[in-house]
């Protein structure tokens, strides 16, 4: 083998080694997110609480903080609360100088922007709540999300006079 052939062979081996080393250094592909039934990815719910009505038989109200950390926006299109006949997404607004409350359409959640469901704003009206549900209990809340998905979380039950 001539010196020139050895030089070419050495260069070829060095190139092959560099390619092999580079292939080893590549990161493994990121794992696919695991879907958990009833949990919408990147949606975080905190400070949830169901406040009983001061008068038995009247609707209860459910409040919480929501933030969606995904790239695209989503919407809350409805809700269900365990032990209730019906749950509606409501908002409070001033119309003609009077405060009024009523059912609203989808509530948009955009990436990273918090949305508070609170007295005087968006909230869930919980109708015909089972009379056996009392202060200190916990109810399961299912938010209906655009696209037919859901997000389930728990909310402690508070008395009418407790902090909303």
């Amino acid at each position: 083998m001539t010196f020139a052939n050895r030089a070419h062979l050495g260069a070829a081996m060095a190139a092959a080694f560099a390619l092999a080393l580079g292939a080893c250094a590549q990161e493994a592909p990121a794992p696919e997110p695991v879907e958990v039934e009833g949990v919408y990815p990147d949606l975080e719910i905190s400070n949830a609480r169901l406040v009983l009505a001061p008068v038995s038989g009247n609707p209860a109200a459910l409040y919480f903080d929501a933030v969606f950390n995904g790239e695209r926006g989503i919407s809350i299109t409805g809700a269900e609360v365990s032990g209730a006949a019906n749950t509606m997404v409501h908002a409070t607004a001033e119309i003609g100088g009077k405060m009024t409350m009523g059912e609203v359409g989808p509530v948009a959640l955009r990436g990273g922007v918090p949305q508070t469901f609170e007295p005087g704003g968006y909230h869930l009206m919980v109708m015909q709540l089972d009379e056996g549900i009392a202060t200190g209990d916990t109810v399961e809340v299912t938010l209906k999300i655009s696209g037919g998905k859901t997000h389930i979380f728990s909310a402690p039950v508070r008395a009418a006079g407790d902090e909303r």
Side-chain angles (χ1 to χ4, degrees), residues 9-129:
L9 179 61
M13 289 177 65
F17 180 73
L19 284 173
L21 186 60
C24 290
Q26 290 179 356
E27 291 184 28
E32 290 292 320
V34 177
E35 259 191 57
V36 177
E37 187 175 340
V39 175
Y40 196 91
D42 300 320
L43 178 57
E44 296 176 17
I45 303 296
S46 60
N47 198 26
R49 67 256 184 228
L50 182 135
V51 181
L52 296 172
V55 177
S56 180
N58 283 357
L62 200 137
Y63 308 109
F64 57 94
D65 298 324
V67 64
F68 177 65
N69 293 308
E71 291 180 25
R72 296 181 175 199
I74 62 171
S75 295
I76 296 173
T77 60
E80 295 177 357
V81 174
S82 62
N86 189 19
T87 302
M88 295 183 280
V89 180
H90 270 212
T92 304
E94 185 176 334
I95 299 176
K98 293 183 179 182
M99 294 304 288
T100 185
M101 175 179 40
E103 190 170 12
V104 295
V107 177
L109 300 176
R110 295 177 304 163
V113 178
Q115 177 63 60
T116 301
F117 284 68
E118 62 188 343
Y122 288 119
H123 56 280
L124 301 182
M125 290 303 300
V126 182
M127 315 297 216
Q128 299 172 349
L129 188 62

Side-chain angles (χ1 to χ4, degrees), residues 49-52 129 132-139 154-160 162:
R49 67 256 184 228
L50 182 135
V51 181
L52 296 172
L129 188 62
I133 295 175
T135 302
D137 289 345
T138 300
V139 294
S154 295
V157 178
R158 295 184 181 173
D162 289 350

